[in-house]
């Protein structure tokens, strides 16, 4: 596991982030698509001796996506992400659930952030405008 850990640190130090290029009209927001996440991981992971595969699997009661991150040394780590749908008999809804699980499973396995993450933006102090100049007003207890 030592070589895999070193490679993941190298990957993280690359600063790789998935671009939010897809639109979610329901929430009027942007998100990183599965294709963008895969492209971002592939662009940097290979330089670190890493690759991945994702399999749709199931047990007695649940379906999930298994994400396996592999290092050229033969070391690997595996994680499972549940596939959640409102109707398991509807292929379109199943496909959406699988895509969602693959995207979040892969981002989680590689610790891959989305560029311009809404969560990061929301956690930033609110700029205060005073006398035509923009300043940042830290909240109580902020760093």
């Amino acid at each position: 596991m030592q070589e895999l850990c070193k490679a993941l640190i190298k990957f993280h130090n690359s600063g790789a982030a998935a671009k939010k290029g897809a639109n979610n009209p329901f929430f009027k927001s942007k998100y990183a698509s599965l294709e963008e996440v895969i492209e971002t991981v592939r662009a940097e992971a290979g330089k670190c001796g890493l690759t991945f595969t994702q399999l749709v699997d199931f047990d007695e009661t649940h379906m999930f996506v298994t994400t396996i991150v592999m290092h050229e040394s033969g070391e690997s780590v595996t994680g499972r992400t549940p596939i959640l749908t409102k109707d398991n008999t509807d292929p379109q809804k199943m496909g959406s659930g699988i895509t969602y699980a693959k995207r979040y499973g892969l981002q989680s396995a590689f610790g891959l952030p989305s560029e311009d993450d809404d969560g990061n933006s929301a956690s930033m102090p609110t700029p205060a405008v005073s006398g035509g100049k923009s300043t940042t007003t830290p909240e109580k207890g902020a760093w």
Side-chain angles (χ1 to χ4, degrees):
M1 205 57 151
Q2 194 172 18
E3 295 304 313
L4 177 64
C5 289
K6 287 179 189 176
L8 282 171
I9 290 168
K10 184 177 177 182
F11 177 84
H12 293 159
N13 287 338
S14 75
K19 290 181 178 39
K20 288 185 170 183
N23 291 312
N24 182 335
F26 185 74
F27 290 108
K28 297 181 180 145
S29 62
K30 289 187 168 271
Y31 66 97
S33 68
L34 174 59
E35 293 81 6
E36 180 60 41
V37 172
I38 290 172
E39 183 179 312
T40 302
V41 169
R42 284 186 177 157
E44 292 299 326
K47 297 174 189 174
C48 305
L50 297 168
T51 192
F52 71 93
T53 191
Q54 293 185 295
L55 309 167
V56 175
D57 207 349
F58 60 92
D59 59 23
E60 295 79 27
T61 57
H62 298 92
M63 290 187 64
F64 47 87
V65 169
T66 299
T67 301
I68 305 166
V69 177
M70 299 166 282
H71 185 258
E72 60 192 13
S73 68
E75 297 171 349
S76 65
V77 64
T78 301
R80 298 188 326 178
T81 306
I83 298 170
L84 305 174
T85 66
K86 291 184 179 183
D87 182 359
N88 289 344
T89 63
D90 182 335
Q92 183 69 31
K93 289 180 182 168
M94 280 300 299
S96 294
I98 291 167
T99 298
Y100 185 90
K102 288 176 107 176
R103 185 174 73 226
Y104 282 98
L106 191 57
Q107 279 188 273
S108 176
F110 279 89
L112 186 68
S114 296
E115 190 176 85
D116 188 32
D117 187 16
D118 292 334
N120 288 336
S121 298
S123 68
M124 298 301 291
T126 306
V129 178
S130 138
K133 295 181 182 176
S134 178
T135 60
T136 302
T137 307
E139 297 177 23
K140 188 174 183 177
W143 296 5

